[in-house]
Amino acid sequence: MKIAVVGPGALGTLLAGFLRAKTKEDVWLVDKSPERARRIREEGIRIEGMSSISVSINTSANPKEIAPCDLVIICVKSYSTEDVCKDIKDLVNDNTSILTLQNGIGNVQVLNDHFGADRVIAGVTNHGATLLGPGHVRHAGRGDTIIGMSNGKILGPMRDAANLLTKCGFETKISKDIDSVIWSKLVINVGINALTGITRLKNGMLIQYNGTREILRSAVQEAVKIVKRKRIKLVYDDPIQKVESVCKATAANISSMLQDVLNSKRTEIDYINGAIIRQGKALGISTPVNEVLTNLVKTIESSYEEAEEMN
Ligand code: PAF
């Protein structure tokens, strides 16, 4: 099987390293930066923390060089999904399946529009990863991975993808209602990501302080109102308890949004808390806490230079 992992961020690097180390498949890592791709090609992938892996990996910034794959796994930030669909056209032919394991909502629709719903596999993973440098990642937490198709079908290529991920160490289940799974993950990200980005706290600390715990609960409650109105059934019964348990389980994690803030990078706020605001507006549900969180994260993103000057 020929596999391309698109996006050399924390999750993409972790997954590519696992696929390369634990399977005999032809695995490629796709990086839009030729310079960084060259470095990863020369130095390979190093994983530390909960796993210890050191492997070489075919890495390229040129999809033409890779040619069509059986499976393309999208691990780029949500704001790049639209562009990536055009960039990866040489990786895709009629037999290619496209799997997304991105945070936030909206990605599946973009991929469905470009490639057709019968070829797009949606999913979430609860593995935690921190990027330490090009090709260098800390495996910060284990969790399950759930995949499914937005049209509810269970097709052969999806089963193959689930088996492949499980074989490489990403224990994967299949769901017939992947929309609920994606919303269930979104609610967790709504509670954790912006608050960690603003406070610069690790996940576990959010529930140690009364102030952050209260804001976390309020943000989650707003998201749950939307979930209920949309008649989405979350995969857990008590959303606040679930988000707090994820904080505990990933206590030492630097959330993906905090990693972006620490690296002065654009965050996925528009696809997480920002998505709650948009959905709230469409449904007539007010989301003041998510608005404040979104505005604060956007202010942080806009003022990286000023913050740098003060250091
Ligand atoms: O985005 C993240 O960092 C992760 O999805 C999560 C679950 C919040 C753990 O850090």
Side-chain angles (χ1 to χ4, degrees):
M1 201 174 186
K2 188 167 179 178
I3 305 155
V5 178
V6 183
L11 180 65
T13 304
L14 184 77
L15 185 53
F18 269 76
L19 285 166
R20 181 74 183 82
K22 313 266 183 196
T23 74
K24 295 198 177 347
E25 312 300 343
D26 181 11
V27 185
W28 286 77
L29 182 60
V30 185
D31 184 345
K32 69 176 186 321
S33 153
E35 176 47 33
R36 200 173 43 203
R38 184 192 55 75
R39 188 161 159 198
I40 300 174
R41 196 166 50 238
E42 283 172 10
E43 296 177 7
I45 288 179
R46 258 185 316 138
I47 301 174
E48 60 183 67
M50 302 193 80
S51 312
S52 176
I53 287 174
S54 192
V55 276
S56 62
I57 181 116
N58 285 323
T59 308
S60 176
N62 177 11
K64 269 202 175 85
E65 180 195 1
I66 304 171
C69 295
D70 302 293
L71 179 65
V72 175
I73 307 178
I74 309 290
C75 293
V76 299
K77 296 286 181 188
S78 300
Y79 50 78
S80 298
T81 308
E82 189 73 52
D83 288 344
V84 142
C85 288
K86 294 166 204 140
D87 296 345
I88 62 167
K89 64 180 192 320
D90 292 306
L91 300 179
V92 177
N93 66 14
D94 290 346
N95 301 316
T96 308
S97 296
I98 295 106
L99 166 66
T100 162
L101 292 175
Q102 298 159 282
N103 270 342
I105 51 170
N107 297 302
V108 180
Q109 193 55 54
V110 174
L111 293 168
N112 281 353
D113 290 349
H114 275 266
F115 302 108
D118 270 350
R119 295 208 287 152
V120 175
I121 307 167
V124 302
T125 183
N126 290 313
H127 280 268
T130 308
L131 194 67
L132 302 173
H136 186 191
V137 73
R138 180 182 304 119
H139 189 194
R142 282 183 207 284
D144 52 354
T145 300
I146 307 176
I147 65 173
M149 302 185 74
S150 57
N151 54 19
K153 291 183 185 171
I154 297 190
L155 302 175
M158 182 173 67
R159 284 191 199 285
D160 294 345
N163 289 338
L164 176 82
L165 291 174
T166 300
K167 194 169 154 196
C168 88
F170 273 53
E171 184 73 37
T172 300
K173 296 183 195 123
I174 287 176
S175 168
K176 277 189 180 168
D177 186 3
I178 197 66
D179 209 29
S180 299
V181 175
I182 290 173
W183 271 88
S184 300
K185 175 84 191 286
L186 178 74
V187 169
I188 294 169
N189 291 131
V190 163
I192 297 178
N193 291 35
L195 261 179
T196 50
I198 294 162
T199 60
R200 300 189 171 213
L201 290 172
K202 289 186 176 169
N203 296 357
M205 295 309 287
L206 291 183
I207 50 172
Q208 299 299 326
Y209 296 105
N210 290 340
T212 44
R213 200 175 56 233
E214 285 310 312
I215 300 169
L216 179 153
R217 289 179 176 178
S218 305
V220 168
Q221 270 156 355
E222 288 178 4
V224 169
K225 279 189 199 155
I226 290 163
V227 164
K228 285 197 173 139
R229 182 73 67 79
K230 288 173 81 67
R231 296 180 186 281
I232 291 167
K233 172 123 184 53
L234 295 177
V235 298
Y236 38 76
D237 292 331
D238 184 337
I240 289 178
Q241 197 186 55
K242 177 66 186 179
V243 180
E244 293 186 356
S245 77
V246 173
C247 286
K248 281 189 203 132
T250 63
N253 261 33
I254 298 173
S255 80
S256 54
M257 196 167 288
L258 177 53
Q259 289 183 52
D260 289 336
V261 168
L262 294 174
N263 291 315
S264 302
K265 281 169 66 178
R266 184 174 168 189
T267 73
E268 294 184 299
I269 191 73
D270 284 332
Y271 301 84
I272 301 176
N273 306 76
I276 295 300
I277 302 174
R278 285 195 300 282
Q279 296 276 339
K281 284 202 173 117
L283 297 167
I285 296 172
S286 69
T287 56
V289 175
N290 280 282
E291 279 181 32
V292 171
L293 291 172
T294 301
N295 283 329
L296 283 172
V297 172
K298 282 181 172 287
T299 306
I300 291 171
E301 281 179 344
S302 310
S303 59
Y304 285 138
E305 276 182 26
E306 282 91 331
E308 185 66 31
E309 276 166 22
M310 290 206 302
N311 284 331

